[in-house]
Every structure is written in C-alpha cells, then in structure tokens.
Amino acid sequence: MWDVVPGRRRGVDMTPDSRNLAARWDEAMATALDEARRCAAHGDVPVGAVVLDASGTLIARAGNERELTNDPTAHAEMLALRRAAQVSGTWRLDGCTLVVTLEPCTMCAGAIVAARVERLVLGAWDPKAGAVSSLWDVVRDARLNHRVDVVAGVRAAECETVLREFFASKR
C-alpha cells in the first residue's frame, strides 16, 4: 500500500479519494518502471518518470539520460517535465501529476515546484539525495510560491528492486 504524505510525516493517511486513485497510480508507475528499465539498458541509473494531465492522460515519459547524453541535468523528471511542457504548450503544468520511480533530488524537486505540478507520485525513497522528505522537503516548503501534493510508496518494492539489481550488476 502507499502513503499520502502530509507535511514531513511518512505515515499512512489514506483518504477515500486517494484510495480511488490507486489503480491510476499503479498503471502510471508501471509505465515509469518501463522507462527505468529502458534507460538501465544504456547504462543510466534506472529512474523513470511520466506526466499525466489533469484528466489522467499520459502526456510525457522519460528515463534518465545522463550517461546517454553526457548531460548532468538529464534526470527522468527533468526530461518528462520538458516534454510535458512541449505537449501542453506552456511551462505551467497546473493540474498535472508527475509519477516517478525514485524520490526526486533537489534539482528535480525545484523544477517540479517551478512547473506548478499539482501532484507528485513516487515509488522508492532516496535516503541519500531525496528532496521530498528524506533529506529536504522542497516540494512542500511553505516559503516557496507553490506546494505539491505527494503520494509515496506506489510499487515501492518493485522500484527498489530495479535500482538494487542495477547497482548489484555494477559491482
């Protein structure tokens, strides 16, 4: 089961509306996991992301491409947000949901806030670089001009396994 994460708390807080969305998040996370596996095949850390518009339609998808493109900013979240903005014709992704297999870093969390993403759905936590609750809470910082709803732990075990297997193969 997954968590709706209010504030900095990581406890389960399932609302009736969030229970009804479980199938949508699982399906979107499956697509993000496909992207993660795809990018692992070309040597990138397996992180995948998708963007859903306000109606729940998938409008963008991406996996990490840092190794592929030699671009330190080519994180799955950044690429998916850029592609969603192109499809939408605006940088304001109001009403959109970003689904990502790993808790975003500070760069990606800042981009999520800047893009005005409504909701972030994440799989695995990143205790070493996470900026959604693990180390920082950029997406819900009250000092910023926008805050993002967070749903965490969607298919977390599967997301963690993909990462663990990738790094085990590198050792």
Side-chain angles (χ1 to χ4, degrees), residues 35-87:
E35 287 296 314
R37 290 181 186 102
R38 183 192 57 73
C39 69
H42 57 70
D44 271 292
V45 174
V47 177
V50 299
V51 178
L52 308 175
D53 68 12
S55 70
T57 301
L58 189 141
I59 59 170
R61 62 192 316 164
N64 275 349
E65 294 182 5
R66 293 184 307 167
E67 298 296 330
L68 184 67
T69 62
N70 294 315
D71 179 353
T73 68
H75 290 202
E77 302 95 328
M78 299 293 286
L79 297 171
L81 291 172
R82 287 179 192 141
R83 292 170 186 166
Q86 287 177 329
V87 167

Short mmCIF file of all heavy atoms in Angstrom, two decimals, residues 35-87:
data_model
loop_
_atom_site.label_atom_id
_atom_site.label_comp_id
_atom_site.label_asym_id
_atom_site.label_seq_id
_atom_site.Cartn_x
_atom_site.Cartn_y
_atom_site.Cartn_z
N GLU A 35 10.13 2.75 -18.34
CA GLU A 35 11.13 3.75 -18.72
C GLU A 35 12.43 3.53 -17.94
O GLU A 35 13.52 3.66 -18.50
CB GLU A 35 10.60 5.17 -18.46
CG GLU A 35 9.54 5.60 -19.45
CD GLU A 35 10.07 5.70 -20.86
OE1 GLU A 35 11.16 6.28 -21.08
OE2 GLU A 35 9.40 5.19 -21.77
N ALA A 36 12.31 3.20 -16.65
CA ALA A 36 13.50 2.96 -15.83
C ALA A 36 14.30 1.77 -16.39
O ALA A 36 15.53 1.85 -16.52
CB ALA A 36 13.09 2.69 -14.38
N ARG A 37 13.62 0.72 -16.71
CA ARG A 37 14.31 -0.46 -17.26
C ARG A 37 14.94 -0.15 -18.62
O ARG A 37 16.04 -0.62 -18.93
CB ARG A 37 13.32 -1.62 -17.39
CG ARG A 37 12.91 -2.18 -16.04
CD ARG A 37 11.94 -3.36 -16.18
NE ARG A 37 11.46 -3.79 -14.90
CZ ARG A 37 10.25 -3.48 -14.40
NH1 ARG A 37 9.41 -2.74 -15.12
NH2 ARG A 37 9.89 -3.90 -13.21
N ARG A 38 14.27 0.66 -19.42
CA ARG A 38 14.80 1.05 -20.73
C ARG A 38 16.11 1.83 -20.57
O ARG A 38 17.09 1.56 -21.27
CB ARG A 38 13.77 1.90 -21.49
CG ARG A 38 14.21 2.29 -22.89
CD ARG A 38 13.32 3.36 -23.50
NE ARG A 38 13.21 4.58 -22.72
CZ ARG A 38 14.17 5.51 -22.59
NH1 ARG A 38 15.32 5.35 -23.20
NH2 ARG A 38 13.98 6.58 -21.85
N CYS A 39 16.14 2.77 -19.65
CA CYS A 39 17.37 3.58 -19.52
C CYS A 39 18.50 2.78 -18.87
O CYS A 39 19.66 3.04 -19.15
CB CYS A 39 17.10 4.90 -18.80
SG CYS A 39 16.72 4.79 -17.06
N ALA A 40 18.17 1.79 -18.06
CA ALA A 40 19.21 0.94 -17.48
C ALA A 40 19.94 0.18 -18.58
O ALA A 40 21.14 -0.08 -18.47
CB ALA A 40 18.60 -0.03 -16.47
N ALA A 41 19.23 -0.14 -19.64
CA ALA A 41 19.83 -0.88 -20.75
C ALA A 41 20.95 -0.10 -21.42
O ALA A 41 21.85 -0.70 -22.00
CB ALA A 41 18.75 -1.25 -21.77
N HIS A 42 20.93 1.22 -21.36
CA HIS A 42 22.03 2.01 -21.94
C HIS A 42 22.95 2.59 -20.87
O HIS A 42 23.70 3.52 -21.12
CB HIS A 42 21.53 3.07 -22.94
CG HIS A 42 20.55 4.06 -22.41
ND1 HIS A 42 20.87 5.02 -21.49
CD2 HIS A 42 19.24 4.23 -22.67
CE1 HIS A 42 19.81 5.75 -21.23
NE2 HIS A 42 18.80 5.29 -21.92
N GLY A 43 22.90 2.01 -19.66
CA GLY A 43 23.87 2.34 -18.63
C GLY A 43 23.48 3.44 -17.68
O GLY A 43 24.27 3.80 -16.80
N ASP A 44 22.29 4.00 -17.81
CA ASP A 44 21.86 5.04 -16.89
C ASP A 44 21.20 4.44 -15.66
O ASP A 44 20.58 3.36 -15.74
CB ASP A 44 20.87 5.99 -17.57
CG ASP A 44 21.57 7.14 -18.27
OD1 ASP A 44 22.14 7.99 -17.55
OD2 ASP A 44 21.56 7.19 -19.50
N VAL A 45 21.29 5.13 -14.54
CA VAL A 45 20.61 4.70 -13.33
C VAL A 45 19.13 4.58 -13.65
O VAL A 45 18.54 5.51 -14.21
CB VAL A 45 20.85 5.69 -12.17
CG1 VAL A 45 20.03 5.32 -10.95
CG2 VAL A 45 22.34 5.75 -11.82
N PRO A 46 18.51 3.45 -13.33
CA PRO A 46 17.13 3.20 -13.74
C PRO A 46 16.08 3.98 -12.95
O PRO A 46 15.52 3.52 -11.97
CB PRO A 46 16.96 1.69 -13.53
CG PRO A 46 17.91 1.37 -12.44
CD PRO A 46 19.07 2.30 -12.62
N VAL A 47 15.84 5.19 -13.42
CA VAL A 47 14.77 6.03 -12.87
C VAL A 47 13.88 6.41 -14.04
O VAL A 47 14.39 6.86 -15.08
CB VAL A 47 15.32 7.29 -12.18
CG1 VAL A 47 14.18 8.18 -11.69
CG2 VAL A 47 16.24 6.91 -11.03
N GLY A 48 12.59 6.21 -13.88
CA GLY A 48 11.64 6.55 -14.92
C GLY A 48 10.60 7.51 -14.40
O GLY A 48 10.29 7.51 -13.20
N ALA A 49 10.03 8.32 -15.29
CA ALA A 49 9.03 9.30 -14.91
C ALA A 49 8.00 9.45 -16.02
O ALA A 49 8.34 9.32 -17.20
CB ALA A 49 9.67 10.65 -14.62
N VAL A 50 6.77 9.72 -15.62
CA VAL A 50 5.71 10.05 -16.57
C VAL A 50 4.92 11.23 -16.04
O VAL A 50 4.87 11.47 -14.83
CB VAL A 50 4.75 8.85 -16.84
CG1 VAL A 50 5.51 7.67 -17.42
CG2 VAL A 50 4.00 8.45 -15.60
N VAL A 51 4.31 11.98 -16.94
CA VAL A 51 3.45 13.10 -16.57
C VAL A 51 2.05 12.80 -17.10
O VAL A 51 1.89 12.45 -18.27
CB VAL A 51 3.96 14.44 -17.13
CG1 VAL A 51 3.01 15.58 -16.76
CG2 VAL A 51 5.37 14.74 -16.62
N LEU A 52 1.08 12.95 -16.20
CA LEU A 52 -0.33 12.82 -16.56
C LEU A 52 -0.96 14.20 -16.52
O LEU A 52 -0.67 14.98 -15.61
CB LEU A 52 -1.06 11.92 -15.56
CG LEU A 52 -0.44 10.55 -15.26
CD1 LEU A 52 -1.23 9.85 -14.16
CD2 LEU A 52 -0.39 9.71 -16.51
N ASP A 53 -1.81 14.50 -17.50
CA ASP A 53 -2.50 15.79 -17.45
C ASP A 53 -3.64 15.71 -16.43
O ASP A 53 -3.82 14.69 -15.76
CB ASP A 53 -2.97 16.21 -18.84
CG ASP A 53 -4.08 15.35 -19.42
OD1 ASP A 53 -4.69 14.52 -18.70
OD2 ASP A 53 -4.35 15.51 -20.63
N ALA A 54 -4.39 16.79 -16.31
CA ALA A 54 -5.44 16.87 -15.29
C ALA A 54 -6.52 15.80 -15.46
O ALA A 54 -7.15 15.39 -14.49
CB ALA A 54 -6.07 18.26 -15.30
N SER A 55 -6.70 15.30 -16.69
CA SER A 55 -7.70 14.26 -16.92
C SER A 55 -7.14 12.85 -16.70
O SER A 55 -7.86 11.87 -16.81
CB SER A 55 -8.26 14.37 -18.34
OG SER A 55 -7.27 13.98 -19.28
N GLY A 56 -5.82 12.76 -16.43
CA GLY A 56 -5.19 11.47 -16.20
C GLY A 56 -4.56 10.86 -17.43
O GLY A 56 -4.07 9.73 -17.40
N THR A 57 -4.54 11.61 -18.53
CA THR A 57 -3.94 11.12 -19.78
C THR A 57 -2.43 11.30 -19.73
O THR A 57 -1.94 12.38 -19.38
CB THR A 57 -4.52 11.90 -20.98
OG1 THR A 57 -5.94 11.71 -21.00
CG2 THR A 57 -3.91 11.42 -22.29
N LEU A 58 -1.70 10.27 -20.11
CA LEU A 58 -0.24 10.34 -20.14
C LEU A 58 0.17 11.28 -21.28
O LEU A 58 -0.22 11.06 -22.43
CB LEU A 58 0.34 8.95 -20.36
CG LEU A 58 1.85 8.87 -20.20
CD1 LEU A 58 2.23 7.59 -19.49
CD2 LEU A 58 2.54 8.97 -21.53
N ILE A 59 0.94 12.32 -20.94
CA ILE A 59 1.37 13.28 -21.96
C ILE A 59 2.89 13.30 -22.17
O ILE A 59 3.36 13.88 -23.15
CB ILE A 59 0.87 14.71 -21.67
CG1 ILE A 59 1.37 15.23 -20.32
CG2 ILE A 59 -0.65 14.76 -21.75
CD1 ILE A 59 1.10 16.71 -20.09
N ALA A 60 3.64 12.67 -21.24
CA ALA A 60 5.09 12.64 -21.41
C ALA A 60 5.67 11.49 -20.60
O ALA A 60 5.10 11.09 -19.59
CB ALA A 60 5.72 13.96 -20.95
N ARG A 61 6.80 11.00 -21.07
CA ARG A 61 7.50 9.92 -20.38
C ARG A 61 8.98 10.08 -20.62
O ARG A 61 9.40 10.61 -21.66
CB ARG A 61 7.00 8.56 -20.85
CG ARG A 61 7.25 8.35 -22.32
CD ARG A 61 6.56 7.17 -22.96
NE ARG A 61 6.61 5.97 -22.19
CZ ARG A 61 5.83 4.92 -22.40
NH1 ARG A 61 4.96 4.94 -23.37
NH2 ARG A 61 5.93 3.85 -21.67
N ALA A 62 9.80 9.61 -19.67
CA ALA A 62 11.25 9.70 -19.83
C ALA A 62 11.93 8.81 -18.81
O ALA A 62 11.37 8.49 -17.77
CB ALA A 62 11.73 11.14 -19.66
N GLY A 63 13.15 8.44 -19.14
CA GLY A 63 14.05 7.78 -18.21
C GLY A 63 15.32 8.61 -18.14
O GLY A 63 15.54 9.50 -18.96
N ASN A 64 16.15 8.33 -17.15
CA ASN A 64 17.42 9.03 -17.05
C ASN A 64 18.21 8.91 -18.35
O ASN A 64 18.22 7.85 -18.97
CB ASN A 64 18.27 8.44 -15.92
CG ASN A 64 17.94 9.02 -14.57
OD1 ASN A 64 17.23 10.00 -14.44
ND2 ASN A 64 18.48 8.40 -13.53
N GLU A 65 18.86 10.01 -18.74
CA GLU A 65 19.69 10.00 -19.95
C GLU A 65 21.04 10.69 -19.71
O GLU A 65 21.66 11.18 -20.64
CB GLU A 65 18.95 10.69 -21.11
CG GLU A 65 17.73 9.94 -21.57
CD GLU A 65 17.02 10.59 -22.75
OE1 GLU A 65 17.54 11.60 -23.30
OE2 GLU A 65 15.94 10.10 -23.11
N ARG A 66 21.48 10.72 -18.45
CA ARG A 66 22.74 11.40 -18.16
C ARG A 66 23.92 10.74 -18.87
O ARG A 66 24.75 11.42 -19.47
CB ARG A 66 23.00 11.45 -16.65
CG ARG A 66 22.00 12.33 -15.94
CD ARG A 66 22.28 12.46 -14.46
NE ARG A 66 22.39 11.14 -13.84
CZ ARG A 66 22.88 10.93 -12.63
NH1 ARG A 66 23.31 11.93 -11.90
NH2 ARG A 66 22.93 9.72 -12.12
N GLU A 67 24.00 9.43 -18.79
CA GLU A 67 25.10 8.71 -19.45
C GLU A 67 24.94 8.75 -20.97
O GLU A 67 25.92 8.93 -21.69
CB GLU A 67 25.15 7.25 -18.97
CG GLU A 67 25.42 7.08 -17.49
CD GLU A 67 26.78 7.58 -17.06
OE1 GLU A 67 27.74 7.54 -17.87
OE2 GLU A 67 26.90 8.02 -15.90
N LEU A 68 23.73 8.60 -21.42
CA LEU A 68 23.45 8.59 -22.85
C LEU A 68 23.81 9.91 -23.52
O LEU A 68 24.36 9.94 -24.63
CB LEU A 68 21.97 8.28 -23.08
CG LEU A 68 21.50 8.12 -24.52
CD1 LEU A 68 22.13 6.87 -25.14
CD2 LEU A 68 19.98 8.02 -24.56
N THR A 69 23.54 11.03 -22.85
CA THR A 69 23.72 12.36 -23.45
C THR A 69 24.86 13.17 -22.84
O THR A 69 25.10 14.29 -23.28
CB THR A 69 22.42 13.18 -23.31
OG1 THR A 69 22.15 13.37 -21.91
CG2 THR A 69 21.25 12.48 -23.98
N ASN A 70 25.52 12.63 -21.81
CA ASN A 70 26.56 13.37 -21.08
C ASN A 70 26.03 14.70 -20.55
O ASN A 70 26.72 15.72 -20.57
CB ASN A 70 27.80 13.59 -21.96
CG ASN A 70 28.49 12.30 -22.29
OD1 ASN A 70 28.68 11.45 -21.42
ND2 ASN A 70 28.83 12.12 -23.54
N ASP A 71 24.80 14.67 -20.08
CA ASP A 71 24.13 15.87 -19.56
C ASP A 71 23.78 15.63 -18.09
O ASP A 71 22.94 14.78 -17.79
CB ASP A 71 22.86 16.13 -20.37
CG ASP A 71 22.07 17.34 -19.88
OD1 ASP A 71 22.42 17.94 -18.83
OD2 ASP A 71 21.08 17.68 -20.55
N PRO A 72 24.41 16.36 -17.18
CA PRO A 72 24.14 16.15 -15.76
C PRO A 72 22.70 16.49 -15.34
O PRO A 72 22.25 16.06 -14.28
CB PRO A 72 25.15 17.04 -15.05
CG PRO A 72 25.49 18.09 -16.04
CD PRO A 72 25.37 17.44 -17.39
N THR A 73 21.99 17.24 -16.17
CA THR A 73 20.60 17.59 -15.83
C THR A 73 19.58 16.66 -16.47
O THR A 73 18.37 16.87 -16.32
CB THR A 73 20.28 19.05 -16.24
OG1 THR A 73 20.27 19.14 -17.66
CG2 THR A 73 21.26 20.03 -15.63
N ALA A 74 20.03 15.64 -17.17
CA ALA A 74 19.12 14.76 -17.90
C ALA A 74 18.52 13.69 -16.98
O ALA A 74 18.57 12.50 -17.27
CB ALA A 74 19.81 14.14 -19.10
N HIS A 75 17.94 14.13 -15.88
CA HIS A 75 17.22 13.24 -14.98
C HIS A 75 15.85 12.95 -15.59
O HIS A 75 15.29 13.79 -16.32
CB HIS A 75 17.03 13.88 -13.61
CG HIS A 75 18.29 14.02 -12.82
ND1 HIS A 75 18.27 14.14 -11.46
CD2 HIS A 75 19.60 14.06 -13.18
CE1 HIS A 75 19.52 14.26 -11.01
NE2 HIS A 75 20.34 14.21 -12.05
N ALA A 76 15.29 11.81 -15.26
CA ALA A 76 13.99 11.41 -15.81
C ALA A 76 12.93 12.48 -15.57
O ALA A 76 12.15 12.80 -16.47
CB ALA A 76 13.56 10.08 -15.20
N GLU A 77 12.91 13.04 -14.37
CA GLU A 77 11.89 14.05 -14.03
C GLU A 77 12.04 15.29 -14.89
O GLU A 77 11.04 15.83 -15.39
CB GLU A 77 12.00 14.47 -12.55
CG GLU A 77 11.87 13.34 -11.57
CD GLU A 77 13.19 12.74 -11.12
OE1 GLU A 77 14.15 12.73 -11.91
OE2 GLU A 77 13.26 12.28 -9.98
N MET A 78 13.27 15.76 -15.06
CA MET A 78 13.52 16.97 -15.85
C MET A 78 13.08 16.75 -17.30
O MET A 78 12.42 17.61 -17.89
CB MET A 78 15.01 17.34 -15.81
CG MET A 78 15.53 17.64 -14.41
SD MET A 78 14.83 19.12 -13.68
CE MET A 78 15.69 20.36 -14.61
N LEU A 79 13.44 15.61 -17.86
CA LEU A 79 13.08 15.32 -19.24
C LEU A 79 11.57 15.18 -19.41
O LEU A 79 11.00 15.70 -20.38
CB LEU A 79 13.80 14.05 -19.71
CG LEU A 79 15.33 14.14 -19.73
CD1 LEU A 79 15.94 12.77 -20.00
CD2 LEU A 79 15.82 15.17 -20.72
N ALA A 80 10.93 14.50 -18.47
CA ALA A 80 9.47 14.33 -18.56
C ALA A 80 8.76 15.68 -18.43
O ALA A 80 7.79 15.94 -19.16
CB ALA A 80 8.98 13.36 -17.48
N LEU A 81 9.24 16.55 -17.53
CA LEU A 81 8.63 17.87 -17.39
C LEU A 81 8.81 18.70 -18.67
O LEU A 81 7.87 19.37 -19.11
CB LEU A 81 9.22 18.62 -16.19
CG LEU A 81 8.87 18.06 -14.81
CD1 LEU A 81 9.68 18.78 -13.73
CD2 LEU A 81 7.38 18.15 -14.53
N ARG A 82 10.00 18.66 -19.25
CA ARG A 82 10.23 19.39 -20.51
C ARG A 82 9.31 18.90 -21.62
O ARG A 82 8.72 19.71 -22.35
CB ARG A 82 11.69 19.21 -20.96
CG ARG A 82 12.69 19.98 -20.14
CD ARG A 82 14.10 19.73 -20.64
NE ARG A 82 15.06 20.23 -19.69
CZ ARG A 82 16.20 19.63 -19.38
NH1 ARG A 82 16.55 18.50 -19.99
NH2 ARG A 82 17.01 20.15 -18.49
N ARG A 83 9.18 17.59 -21.73
CA ARG A 83 8.33 17.02 -22.78
C ARG A 83 6.86 17.36 -22.53
O ARG A 83 6.12 17.64 -23.48
CB ARG A 83 8.56 15.52 -22.87
CG ARG A 83 9.95 15.21 -23.39
CD ARG A 83 10.34 13.76 -23.28
NE ARG A 83 11.75 13.61 -23.68
CZ ARG A 83 12.48 12.54 -23.44
NH1 ARG A 83 11.96 11.49 -22.85
NH2 ARG A 83 13.75 12.50 -23.83
N ALA A 84 6.44 17.33 -21.27
CA ALA A 84 5.06 17.68 -20.93
C ALA A 84 4.77 19.14 -21.27
O ALA A 84 3.70 19.48 -21.77
CB ALA A 84 4.77 17.40 -19.46
N ALA A 85 5.73 20.02 -21.00
CA ALA A 85 5.55 21.43 -21.32
C ALA A 85 5.44 21.63 -22.83
O ALA A 85 4.63 22.45 -23.29
CB ALA A 85 6.72 22.25 -20.75
N GLN A 86 6.22 20.88 -23.60
CA GLN A 86 6.13 20.98 -25.06
C GLN A 86 4.76 20.54 -25.55
O GLN A 86 4.15 21.19 -26.39
CB GLN A 86 7.22 20.15 -25.72
CG GLN A 86 8.59 20.76 -25.60
CD GLN A 86 9.67 19.88 -26.21
OE1 GLN A 86 9.56 18.65 -26.22
NE2 GLN A 86 10.71 20.51 -26.73
N VAL A 87 4.28 19.42 -25.02
CA VAL A 87 2.97 18.90 -25.42
C VAL A 87 1.86 19.87 -25.02
O VAL A 87 0.93 20.13 -25.78
CB VAL A 87 2.73 17.50 -24.79
CG1 VAL A 87 1.28 17.07 -24.93
CG2 VAL A 87 3.66 16.48 -25.43
#
